[in-house]
Amino acid sequence: MLLRQNFLIILVFFGMVLSGLIYLKNNQCRCNQQITEQGIINPEWKQKTFGLRSSPGMLYNQPSALVGRTDVASVTSWSAPIIWEGTFDSTLIDSIYKQQNLTIATTVFALGKYMRFVKDFLESAEQHYFVGFQVHYYLFTDQPESVPEVKIGENRSLTVRKVQSLNRWQDISMGRMEKLEKLIENELASEADYIFCLDIDTKFYGHWGVESLGRLVGVIHPWLFDTPRNRFTYERRPKSQAYIPAGEGDYYYAGAAFGGSLEDVHHLTKTCREQLSIDAANSIEAVWQEESHLNKYFLLNKPSKLLSPEYMWRDIHESAAQIKIIRFTNVPKNYAEVRPNP
């Protein structure tokens, strides 16, 4: 009799344990299902937890709490740094980040006649862009057979992806967000640490390095960095999801360059893609397409770091008193000739 009671007690105990395990498993599945149904994709982001560790014996200029740039602002009202020449020591910051074995994904789109800009972009990037770091370029083009041969350095690579040709440059611009979103989800989440999304009709002329890295990075537009916000070319029609009312706004950001961590840029591209789709369903197109939606996103989701117009300048032949070095610029071109439509 006693043995039977003990057996029943053990049986009940194991039944309770089994029920508990089944309950936990079901809850986990339901949780995962909710995430999927809500459209919140949570890939295994490649995360590093290194601090800003300096090497012993490293020699560099002494920082000053009193001396610095006085002709420009080097911090925003929400305490995000604005990167200008003279606000960082590239020797020091490079030595810190080289310990972290970083990979920077970099995307560009070259459709139609924009293929002519690929060679200069890649060759100049190999000279100035994250030199000494692992860089993986992703080139989206409708002419993969026409990609020029460019010598890519050690620990750097180029992947070419074929995309459909489009008849309107506006559609090319608006379609980038979806392609970037899917690239991050499907390939980059566990392979890269940061991503920058750049225009192809550009060229590097100076150092662009790890001083630009941050959780969410925007570049101040070269034509509007010294302009009051009531003259910013935001989308002003309330019907658009990119709408920013008069009297609101921080900076006007360039759509030609933005970046950050994989997780943050994924959220940015996903949100902009959704807002672009809503506008399309409502038969409205924001005044500057994806750039308008990017500016709305940055208004509501403040960048953790801003890059000065040194990182997206007007033209190598243009100058401004505040611009001590030109790092990255637009390439002069006849838009009517290179674009598929006016």
Side-chain angles (χ1 to χ4, degrees):
M1 184 68 177
L2 182 60
L3 288 173
R4 185 179 179 184
Q5 288 178 340
N6 289 341
F7 176 76
L8 288 173
I9 290 171
I10 293 170
L11 187 62
V12 170
F13 173 76
F14 278 107
M16 293 173 65
V17 171
L18 182 61
S19 297
L21 290 173
I22 293 171
Y23 174 79
L24 290 173
K25 180 67 175 177
N26 286 343
N27 269 357
Q28 183 181 20
C29 291
R30 279 195 295 270
C31 180
N32 290 338
Q33 186 179 17
Q34 286 173 356
I35 291 173
T36 303
E37 287 173 354
Q38 292 168 7
I40 301 173
I41 298 170
N42 187 25
E44 292 293 326
W45 303 109
K46 183 182 176 186
Q47 294 287 352
K48 293 185 180 293
T49 57
F50 295 106
L52 299 180
R53 299 174 184 171
S54 183
S55 301
M58 180 73 188
L59 298 178
Y60 50 90
N61 294 329
Q62 180 185 351
S64 174
L66 302 176
V67 178
R69 292 283 296 262
T70 58
D71 58 333
V72 294
S74 57
V75 66
T76 69
S77 56
W78 59 91
S79 296
I82 305 175
I83 307 302
W84 299 85
E85 177 69 6
T87 62
F88 64 94
D89 186 322
S90 59
T91 301
L92 172 60
I93 197 168
D94 278 4
S95 72
I96 290 172
Y97 279 92
K98 278 184 179 177
Q99 302 175 61
Q100 301 185 20
N101 193 32
L102 300 174
T103 297
I104 298 94
T106 303
T107 63
V108 287
F109 288 72
L111 278 74
K113 295 181 180 180
Y114 276 75
M115 178 60 72
R116 69 182 62 174
F117 302 113
V118 171
K119 187 175 177 64
D120 275 355
F121 175 90
L122 289 173
E123 288 183 343
S124 65
E126 285 298 287
Q127 294 178 47
H128 301 291
Y129 181 71
F130 288 104
V131 174
F133 290 86
Q134 297 176 92
V135 173
H136 192 156
Y137 304 103
Y138 288 85
L139 170 61
F140 293 84
T141 179
D142 55 350
Q143 307 160 68
E145 69 285 351
S146 300
V147 175
E149 288 190 18
V150 175
K151 184 178 179 181
I152 304 296
E154 186 179 359
N155 295 321
R156 299 161 78 91
S157 59
L158 169 65
T159 296
V160 178
R161 293 291 162 78
K162 183 175 176 59
V163 293
Q164 181 182 359
S165 299
L166 295 170
N167 294 325
R168 298 176 68 246
W169 67 265
Q170 294 92 338
D171 293 332
I172 296 171
S173 172
M174 291 189 293
R176 290 201 308 175
M177 289 297 184
E178 181 177 7
K179 288 180 174 59
L180 294 172
E181 176 192 359
K182 298 307 178 186
L183 176 69
I184 294 171
E185 284 178 14
N186 298 333
E187 296 184 47
L188 300 186
S190 60
E191 296 181 7
D193 301 280
Y194 294 94
I195 183 171
F196 274 98
C197 310
L198 307 176
D199 274 6
I200 193 65
D201 52 334
T202 50
K203 187 175 180 178
F204 293 90
Y205 285 92
H207 170 90
W208 178 321
V210 291
E211 76 283 350
S212 65
L213 296 179
R215 180 183 55 77
L216 186 62
V217 181
V219 181
I220 300 173
H221 200 286
W223 289 104
L224 298 169
F225 73 98
D226 56 354
T227 302
R229 64 183 173 191
N230 66 321
R231 292 174 56 194
F232 289 170
T233 54
Y234 290 149
E235 173 55 62
R236 298 300 190 184
R237 294 169 294 174
K239 185 179 178 182
S240 172
Q241 297 298 306
Y243 169 62
I244 297 177
E248 295 187 22
D250 302 314
Y251 304 88
Y252 192 91
Y253 300 95
F258 60 91
S261 73
L262 272 290
E263 186 172 4
D264 283 271
V265 176
H266 177 261
H267 188 265
L268 180 159
T269 55
K270 179 177 184 292
T271 302
C272 288
R273 187 261 304 163
E274 291 171 344
Q275 302 306 307
L276 284 159
S277 296
I278 293 171
D279 272 9
N282 291 328
S283 301
I284 189 169
E285 186 176 283
V287 59
W288 290 112
Q289 297 82 40
E290 66 169 13
E291 185 174 84
S292 298
H293 288 273
L294 179 72
N295 272 274
K296 177 64 175 288
Y297 185 88
F298 279 151
L299 175 61
L300 302 178
N301 303 269
K302 308 295 189 193
S304 61
K305 181 176 286 186
L306 281 69
L307 304 182
S308 71
E310 299 168 359
Y311 292 82
M312 186 65 257
W313 191 236
R314 307 165 182 170
D315 182 339
I316 189 61
H317 303 296
E318 293 268 352
S319 63
Q322 301 90 343
I323 305 300
K324 308 301 183 185
I325 180 174
I326 296 174
R327 306 180 189 278
F328 187 55
T329 77
N330 280 300
V331 174
K333 67 194 78 67
N334 179 352
Y335 284 106
E337 193 269 328
V338 298
R339 286 176 171 173
N341 65 292

